[in-house]
Amino acid sequence: MLKHTYQILVAGVVTAMLGACAAGVDDTGLEYAPQMYHSTPYEPLSQITDESKGSWLDSNPEDEHGEFYNSNPYNPFKMTMREPVANTIKRGEYIASNGIAADDYATAEEVLTNPFADSKEALKEGKALYLRFCEHCHGEKGAGDGLVGEVYKGVTAYNSATVKDKKAGHIFWVITNGKGRMGAHASQISVDDRWKIATYVQTLQQQ
């Protein structure tokens, strides 16, 4: 009899504990401040305007919309990311501001000016960046004899007749958009760092 009573008591305690975990409008159970855990995610690459989406979760009914709704009511058309101002360009980008085609190296060479041309600090940083991004193909001294360059032949030496007189704008544009078998590096290297590499490459042209 005592054992049976004990089992009933244990079952009652377990049931009460499980019941305490249920969340409600006035009883959040074990979840504290649900607004912090279930805030509206204003993700720029996602746009869900239907406020009923995910309402079956009912994790935070106080916000009066479903769990998956993520539109920003304070922006025009409830957009989660505002459109850029018309006729503006991303800071540091030269392509749109100069209207130079990706393969127009001649124009880039004449139009673009290296902002770090006389900076010893930029030259030092340019060498470090060159060894990180370029040495494996172009070689430590720019002779086209890096480990990758030895396997994939055809990497031109910087002091060759066709390259040694190229200006910083040309070098910058090649790094940005690629040329021949060399791919574009604009997504990997910032604008300033590309100029710093160009600064260092110009020292290798004279070797």
Side-chain angles (χ1 to χ4, degrees):
M1 182 69 178
L2 181 61
K3 181 178 180 182
H4 183 66
T5 303
Y6 178 74
Q7 290 175 337
I8 295 176
L9 179 62
V10 171
V13 171
V14 171
T15 302
M17 290 177 64
L18 292 175
C21 294
V25 176
D26 299 318
D27 179 13
T28 58
L30 299 178
E31 186 174 70
Y32 177 74
Q35 294 87 349
M36 297 178 64
Y37 298 104
H38 305 282
S39 59
T40 303
Y42 295 143
E43 300 181 22
L45 300 181
S46 175
Q47 185 71 48
I48 300 177
T49 58
D50 185 353
E51 296 189 15
S52 66
K53 286 292 184 181
S55 57
W56 56 274
L57 289 174
D58 196 31
S59 60
N60 183 25
E62 293 181 1
D63 57 22
E64 299 181 348
H65 62 66
E67 185 82 359
F68 303 147
Y69 169 78
N70 67 350
S71 297
N72 191 332
Y74 305 105
N75 284 344
F77 309 108
K78 297 184 177 181
M79 293 187 297
T80 54
M81 183 170 65
R82 299 293 297 270
E83 294 181 352
V85 178
N87 301 317
T88 59
I89 60 173
K90 182 179 177 181
R91 197 185 87 170
E93 291 296 329
Y94 293 85
I95 299 176
S97 61
N98 290 281
I100 306 172
D103 59 350
D104 190 354
Y105 305 100
T107 300
E109 183 170 12
E110 297 303 322
V111 173
L112 301 181
T113 303
N114 187 353
F116 303 106
D118 301 318
S119 171
K120 292 183 179 180
E121 184 63 28
L123 180 61
K124 180 180 178 181
E125 292 180 21
K127 179 178 180 179
L129 290 164
Y130 175 87
L131 294 175
R132 184 186 309 165
F133 291 104
C134 316
E135 185 269 342
H136 53 276
C137 283
H138 293 277
E140 183 179 356
K141 303 297 183 182
D145 57 352
L147 293 177
V148 177
E150 290 180 351
V151 177
Y152 298 95
K153 304 296 184 181
V155 180
T156 306
Y158 291 135
N159 62 358
S160 65
T162 57
V163 177
K164 68 183 183 68
D165 295 324
K166 296 297 184 183
K167 298 178 182 178
H170 176 93
I171 300 168
F172 172 85
W173 211 239
V174 171
I175 298 171
T176 301
N177 300 291
K179 189 176 189 293
R181 298 173 69 181
M182 176 177 166
H185 285 65
S187 63
Q188 296 116 312
I189 309 174
S190 69
V191 171
D192 285 353
D193 285 351
R194 279 176 254 161
W195 279 120
K196 292 173 184 178
I197 292 174
T199 302
Y200 180 69
V201 167
Q202 289 204 290
T203 66
L204 299 178
Q205 290 174 306
Q206 310 308 315
Q207 294 186 11

